Amino acid sequence: MKDEVVRVAERYDEKVFIVSNGGLRPHRHPLVESIYVAEGPDVADDWIAERAADGDIVITADIPLAHRCVTAGASVLKPNGSQLDTTNIGSILATRNLMADLRDTGAITSRVAEFTQRDRSNFLQALDRALRSTSNQKR
């Protein structure tokens, strides 16, 4: 999804940060800054959450990270285009925690839903809306 994000961000001349603990090649686009953090649990999440603020758009499927970013005032999009905000993040986090507990006890097994072309289209539309909204707020 990185190339799609860059293409949409380019329309609005917005900077993109890609945060990882390695394993990703730097993106060559001048609007993209690759951030490499130390290895370890949640180090990349901590970097993102500590800097997320009002007017930022964070893209993640990680619900605890999304909760931290929403709490900090950032807009959060999942890769399927779903928006996470103050109206839904509490219940989504509670459901995620419940499902994790059920998986840990063996009560259920989970499967990851297939990422579809429709998900990609929904994401691109949601990102465009979010960037348009952010651009309008800056004016």
Side-chain angles (χ1 to χ4, degrees):
M1 301 285 304
K2 286 184 237 43
D3 291 334
E4 289 90 340
V5 169
V6 172
R7 242 188 343 261
V8 175
E10 191 173 35
R11 278 187 242 148
Y12 297 92
D13 196 34
E14 290 289 339
K15 186 128 176 118
V16 174
F17 295 91
I18 298 175
V19 183
S20 74
N21 59 4
L24 297 177
R25 284 184 287 174
H27 203 287
R28 295 186 183 274
H29 196 285
L31 289 175
V32 177
E33 184 174 339
S34 296
I35 306 294
Y36 297 100
V37 298
E39 289 192 35
D42 299 323
V43 176
D45 292 359
D46 290 344
W47 189 97
I48 295 165
E50 288 166 4
R51 289 160 180 81
D54 188 39
D56 292 336
I57 301 168
V58 176
I59 300 163
T60 186
D62 184 296
I63 301 305
L65 172 58
H67 180 260
R68 293 171 66 189
C69 294
V70 166
T71 301
S75 296
V76 178
L77 295 177
K78 290 174 60 177
N80 67 3
S82 298
Q83 184 165 356
L84 304 176
D85 57 30
T86 57
T87 65
N88 64 11
I89 193 64
S91 62
I92 291 170
L93 180 62
T95 300
R96 178 252 182 224
N97 291 341
L98 173 63
M99 298 304 285
D101 288 344
L102 291 173
R103 280 190 299 276
D104 288 346
T105 63
I108 64 165
T109 58
S110 64
R111 74 172 187 82
V112 176
E114 181 180 319
F115 187 76
T116 66
Q117 186 59 38
R118 182 178 197 84
D119 292 331
R120 183 179 308 280
S121 177
N122 289 341
F123 171 75
L124 290 169
Q125 290 173 21
L127 181 57
D128 191 76
R129 275 192 308 274
L131 282 167
R132 197 172 334 115
S133 174
T134 301
S135 292
N136 288 338
Q137 289 174 4
K138 290 180 181 178
R139 290 183 192 163

